[in-house]
Amino acid sequence: LNQERPPAMPIRKRLRRIAIAAGVVLALITAIWFSMPLWLPWVLGPLTRSQGIHFQRYERIGYGRFALHDIYLTNKNLTLNAGRFEAFVPHAWLWRLRTGAPTSGPVFLQVNDLRLGIHIKASGKTSTSHDVRQAMSILQVTRRWVPLATVTNGTVQISGITIQIPGLVWSNAQVSGFVSLPRMKQQTMVLADLRLPELATIDLTSPELTASIQVQTNTMGFDLNGTTRWEGNLFRFATHFGQQGKLPESVELSGTNL
């Protein structure tokens, strides 16, 4: 005897159930995403601690921003302390990147009272050209994800050299602001254009010193060229670093009024 099979679920009914399930999942994801300012304080602490970053207090600023107070990070490469770190929450950050003008309006990242120590260890594993190209690649990634940022009241220490940063603005890979060396007891205005992946231009201006520096990478390595004026004397220099080694392959220096 042939047994009758139960009628198959109509295709439309099956599709309706799939659509309802997908809608429910999408609604839950949307609710979780846009409620991020509410649950972010609970998950941010464990996430940052897993990366070695610690902070004393989380502050919610409206719906789209937050601030961390008394941040510190220590590892083999750097030591970082900051009094205050303010930024967009992730969903607002991504929204600003996708819409509007990211280099106008509120900054993406604001750091106050920064103390940064960079530990450089000499190593023969990589060349100076490799390190420069890697640094310029990092700048391009930073430009994409952090279009606008500011640093106020900062101090950076590199190999025993202390650089004070009263105020610095990063806008679409263009840097402007002031830095000072305590030994020189004067501020220097900094203007840097880092928008191109193969060329960086840095201009320094102070009452006693004016300098313009260009770093340009190429298939043969990279060139470090520039001019500087100090106490009425004009100097020009041209330095070429090859693909291998830490030291330059050639150095040219000329000056006037010596």
Side-chain angles (χ1 to χ4, degrees):
L1 297 177
N2 295 328
Q3 295 181 352
E4 295 184 359
R5 295 181 179 180
M9 182 182 296
I11 295 179
R12 290 184 179 179
K13 192 173 182 180
R14 185 180 303 174
L15 292 176
R16 188 182 302 113
R17 289 187 176 182
I18 293 174
I20 292 174
V24 170
V25 172
L26 181 60
L28 287 174
I29 294 175
T30 302
I32 293 172
W33 179 254
F34 285 101
S35 64
M36 186 179 298
L38 301 178
W39 53 261
L40 183 62
W42 301 96
V43 301
L44 189 60
L47 285 176
T48 56
R49 284 194 296 271
S50 68
Q51 302 300 317
I53 304 172
H54 303 266
F55 60 90
Q56 294 297 323
R57 183 167 64 90
Y58 177 97
E59 177 187 359
R60 179 180 168 187
I61 306 173
Y63 178 74
R65 295 182 70 84
F66 72 99
L68 303 179
H69 295 263
D70 299 325
I71 310 101
Y72 63 95
L73 164 68
T74 300
N75 57 36
K76 64 180 181 179
N77 297 316
L78 58 85
T79 300
L80 181 148
N81 290 272
R84 190 173 187 272
F85 171 107
E86 181 180 330
F88 287 112
V89 296
H91 76 272
W93 190 302
L94 294 176
W95 180 260
R96 280 290 306 277
L97 287 176
R98 296 286 296 178
T99 62
T103 55
S104 63
V107 299
F108 281 71
L109 177 63
Q110 181 178 341
V111 183
N112 300 334
D113 301 326
L114 173 68
R115 302 293 179 268
L116 176 63
I118 301 176
H119 315 306
I120 299 177
K121 294 182 178 180
S123 174
K125 296 182 179 180
T126 62
S127 66
T128 301
S129 293
H130 174 272
D131 295 339
V132 169
R133 284 194 299 270
Q134 187 176 45
M136 296 182 80
S137 297
I138 293 173
L139 289 173
Q140 294 305 308
V141 174
T142 305
R143 176 190 180 188
R144 177 182 178 184
W145 291 102
V146 190
L148 185 60
T150 62
V151 176
T152 57
N153 190 29
T155 300
V156 178
Q157 290 186 330
I158 307 176
S159 300
I161 300 175
T162 299
I163 304 172
Q164 294 179 343
I165 306 175
L168 210 59
V169 177
W170 163 281
S171 178
N172 192 30
Q174 297 180 87
V175 179
S176 60
F178 291 89
V179 300
S180 64
L181 299 175
R183 295 178 182 178
M184 298 180 64
K185 298 181 180 179
Q186 62 179 3
Q187 288 190 355
T188 300
M189 184 174 66
V190 178
L191 296 174
D193 190 342
L194 312 173
R195 290 174 295 178
L196 298 178
E198 71 283 353
L199 177 65
T201 302
I202 304 171
D203 294 322
L204 307 173
T205 305
S206 71
E208 297 182 359
L209 173 68
T210 300
S212 179
I213 303 169
Q214 285 190 342
V215 179
Q216 185 168 12
T217 61
N218 49 59
T219 57
M220 302 300 294
F222 83 95
D223 296 318
L224 177 64
N225 305 320
T227 60
T228 180
R229 185 180 297 277
W230 180 65
E231 293 186 351
N233 299 313
L234 178 64
F235 300 91
R236 293 183 176 87
F237 60 90
T239 308
H240 175 72
F241 289 80
Q243 293 283 8
Q244 306 296 326
K246 293 291 186 180
L247 299 177
E249 292 183 349
S250 64
V251 178
E252 296 181 7
L253 178 63
S254 61
T256 59
N257 299 329
L258 294 179

